[in-house]
Amino acid sequence: MNDKRFNSILLLAIAATLIALLLQQYLPQKRLTLLPSNTPSYFFHAGPGEDGSPAAFWVDERKLHWRCTPPRDNTTPYFPCSFNLLLTNDGLRGTDLSGYSYLNVKLRVIGKSRKIRFAMRNFNPAYSTPEDANSGKFISVNIPVGDLQGETRIELSEFKVADWWLDQLNIPRIHAQPERSNITTLGIDYTESMEPGNYDMIIEKIEFVGEWVSAETWYLAILTAWLLGIFSYAIIHLIRLREQSRHDVQVINTLNQYTTELRRETDKFRRLSTVDPLTQAYNRFGIDQIVSTMIALNERESGAGTNPDFALILIDIDHFKRINDRRGHDTGDRVLQAVATIIAKAIGRKDYLGRWGGEEFIVLLPNKRKEFAIAMAEKIRLSIDGTLFEPDNPLAVTASFGVSDRLPGEEFNDTFKRADIALYQAKAQGRNCSVMASDRLDDH
């Protein structure tokens, strides 16, 4: 194989690998939609109501609207009242959910309940029997009603085995972990003591979502393909080693130099594509990449994102157009550079500074809340206000600040918008101040 052909194949393989790596995130997801469905199989489990009939019943079955009405004389700490989907035909052979990653639900809860429990039963002959419905492993997760706004994603890793079930059946440690290989039922119920009244629930969507090919399997396949290619290449060259040893050494040296240069050029262009050349802060594209990485890392490490991904500070230089108009764009550029330097010195080594556009900067504080961010904003604001710009022709510069942090499951655009609204409020309050954003867009 000549050098030209080898290099062409290598470049083609690199290109194919890059495409395969990018393609992974666009692979179709597998979905198991339970509701809405034309042929659902479900039942209620509830204690007796006021008239002795079950306390759970349909208000409008077509709209999947059901109600639980506990009796006024109920004194039990837990009144059974649940809606259950059957995922089995015979009670033994259920549905394998081990290949799914999360549960998508969309429901409306009307009543005083603060939490809703989602629970599954897994049938395993090692500890389950057909005669005892309670012998199926009980795995569940409690979700605050406030989190069930719109379509909600519940990671299956959040489901835990109930301690009462382990104790009741005296389950050995080897079987104490969650299982999803043979799920027979999925239930939704109320987890707290229920006062008299109506507790309504309207179920709009229940579906399990997973990957046809996991990221690990996909990357392992790419790695295996490369290993097989390298192995085949090595075998061929071992056969020709005696005749082509000197030529092979030259090829290896050339390839090593080429790979190093390619890596160097790749690093160079990666930096050029993510850094603002004037201030040396990240540009908007670079910030977008950092945000995507932080959100993905948070979801991987903390499931539904109970810890804050980051806090966000939006900074706008006050009356910057006036600076450009009166002093010229060269002065404006120097002011931008000086402000960027002040911000960079104030934030931590693990924080990120970006130029969002024009005279607007953005700071990302990983794993920080907005209370920390507002203090940081004030620190930066005072530093800017106390700096003498353009000493030969002194210029007073101030900036306004809007602060927010990412709420669980919130899109970055909404986090940014709340900070942007807070920034406009700071402008409206006279500039040179910091405003903390509300947790709700409609509160502004």
Side-chain angles (χ1 to χ4, degrees):
M1 184 183 299
N2 57 45
D3 289 346
K4 184 177 180 180
R5 185 180 178 187
F6 173 80
N7 289 339
S8 298
I9 293 176
L10 179 60
L11 286 173
L12 183 62
I14 292 174
T17 300
L18 292 175
I19 292 173
L21 290 171
L22 294 174
L23 184 62
Q24 193 279 329
Q25 58 184 318
Y26 299 105
L27 291 177
Q29 292 179 312
K30 61 178 178 179
R31 296 177 180 271
L32 175 61
T33 302
L34 303 181
L35 291 176
S37 170
N38 292 326
T39 57
S41 180
Y42 40 69
F43 65 92
F44 292 112
H45 173 67
E50 292 286 346
D51 59 358
S53 62
F57 55 89
W58 288 115
V59 176
D60 188 338
E61 185 173 4
R62 185 177 59 85
K63 295 182 179 180
L64 296 175
H65 179 182
W66 66 282
R67 174 177 295 166
C68 180
T69 307
R72 285 190 294 269
D73 59 355
N74 173 49
T75 59
T76 59
Y78 170 70
F79 183 77
C81 205
S82 66
F83 171 83
N84 301 273
L85 280 166
L86 275 175
L87 305 182
T88 177
N89 292 324
D90 57 8
L92 302 179
R93 291 182 297 274
T95 302
D96 185 1
L97 299 179
S98 57
Y100 294 88
S101 304
Y102 60 91
L103 175 65
N104 260 349
V105 298
K106 186 176 183 182
L107 51 84
R108 285 183 287 160
V109 179
I110 306 170
K112 300 179 181 179
S113 182
R114 294 181 299 173
K115 291 185 179 180
I116 298 297
R117 179 171 62 186
F118 296 83
M120 295 185 284
R121 289 278 190 176
N122 189 81
F123 187 92
N124 185 337
Y127 50 76
S128 305
T129 61
E131 297 79 15
D132 184 2
N134 193 46
S135 61
K137 180 174 291 185
F138 190 88
I139 55 177
S140 65
V141 61
N142 294 336
I143 304 295
V145 170
D147 289 350
L148 296 171
Q149 303 299 322
E151 190 166 306
T152 304
R153 171 172 171 162
I154 304 174
E155 302 292 334
L156 295 188
S157 59
E158 297 180 61
F159 283 76
K160 306 299 181 185
V161 180
D163 289 335
W164 62 261
W165 182 86
L166 295 171
D167 295 338
Q168 191 176 88
L169 275 72
N170 194 25
I171 300 296
R173 181 168 171 263
I174 191 173
H175 294 306
Q177 301 304 314
E179 294 178 72
R180 301 193 301 272
S181 59
N182 192 31
I183 299 298
T184 57
T185 61
L186 170 66
I188 306 175
D189 63 5
Y190 298 93
T191 64
E192 300 174 312
S193 177
M194 301 174 69
E195 300 176 2
N198 293 333
Y199 293 79
D200 285 31
M201 185 180 298
I202 302 173
I203 303 173
E204 299 183 23
K205 184 178 184 180
I206 296 178
E207 71 173 358
F208 289 93
V209 183
E211 299 174 331
W212 289 107
V213 180
S214 67
E216 292 79 6
T217 302
W218 185 263
Y219 297 142
L220 181 60
I222 295 174
L223 177 61
T224 301
W226 271 97
L227 291 176
L228 288 175
I230 294 172
F231 180 76
S232 300
Y233 176 80
I235 291 297
I236 294 174
H237 276 263
L238 282 174
I239 296 174
R240 300 176 180 176
L241 183 61
R242 290 183 181 181
E243 299 177 0
Q244 300 181 352
S245 58
R246 182 177 298 178
H247 176 69
D248 288 345
V249 169
Q250 293 176 346
V251 171
I252 292 172
N253 290 337
T254 301
L255 288 175
N256 285 338
Q257 183 179 357
Y258 174 79
T259 302
T260 301
E261 185 63 26
L262 182 62
R263 186 182 298 112
R264 186 181 299 114
E265 290 298 314
T266 301
D267 293 341
K268 173 184 175 181
F269 286 112
R270 182 184 294 114
R271 175 170 176 78
L272 289 175
S273 68
T274 58
V275 173
D276 173 51
L278 177 64
T279 62
Q280 296 304 302
Y282 287 101
N283 58 23
R284 184 174 295 197
F285 175 75
I287 289 294
D288 285 341
Q289 301 303 306
I290 293 168
V291 168
S292 298
T293 300
M294 287 195 297
I295 292 176
L297 182 62
N298 178 268
E299 291 178 349
R300 183 168 62 249
E301 292 184 349
S302 61
T306 55
N307 296 322
D309 299 318
F310 55 84
L312 184 152
I313 304 175
L314 205 55
I315 306 165
D316 188 89
I317 300 176
D318 297 330
H319 301 299
F320 185 74
K321 184 177 184 301
R322 185 186 302 171
I323 295 174
N324 277 333
D325 292 343
R326 296 180 178 180
R327 297 289 188 94
H329 288 280
D330 288 342
T331 299
D333 287 347
R334 289 194 297 272
V335 169
L336 288 172
Q337 292 171 330
V339 169
T341 299
I342 292 171
I343 299 171
K345 289 181 179 179
I347 63 178
R349 290 187 299 116
K350 295 183 179 180
D351 303 329
Y352 301 96
L353 167 63
R355 183 183 177 193
W356 197 249
E359 68 274 20
E360 197 168 57
F361 293 88
I362 186 171
V363 173
L364 299 177
L365 306 173
N367 300 314
K368 297 295 190 300
R369 297 192 181 277
K370 60 185 179 182
E371 290 78 9
F372 178 89
I374 195 70
M376 176 64 74
E378 279 297 289
K379 175 183 176 182
I380 298 171
R381 185 185 68 80
L382 292 173
S383 295
I384 294 174
D385 191 27
T387 298
L388 180 65
F389 292 79
E390 299 291 296
D392 294 337
N393 187 8
L395 176 65
V397 177
T398 62
S400 301
F401 297 74
V403 174
S404 67
D405 57 11
R406 181 176 181 256
L407 303 177
E410 184 180 43
E411 295 291 336
F412 172 69
N413 288 340
D414 291 335
T415 306
F416 181 89
K417 186 173 182 180
R418 290 190 295 106
D420 195 38
I421 293 172
L423 175 60
Y424 274 101
Q425 291 175 346
K427 294 284 189 182
Q429 292 176 16
R431 296 181 170 83
N432 193 22
C433 62
S434 304
V435 174
M436 183 185 295
S438 168
D439 286 345
R440 291 169 55 92
L441 284 173
D442 54 9
D443 285 346
H444 293 280

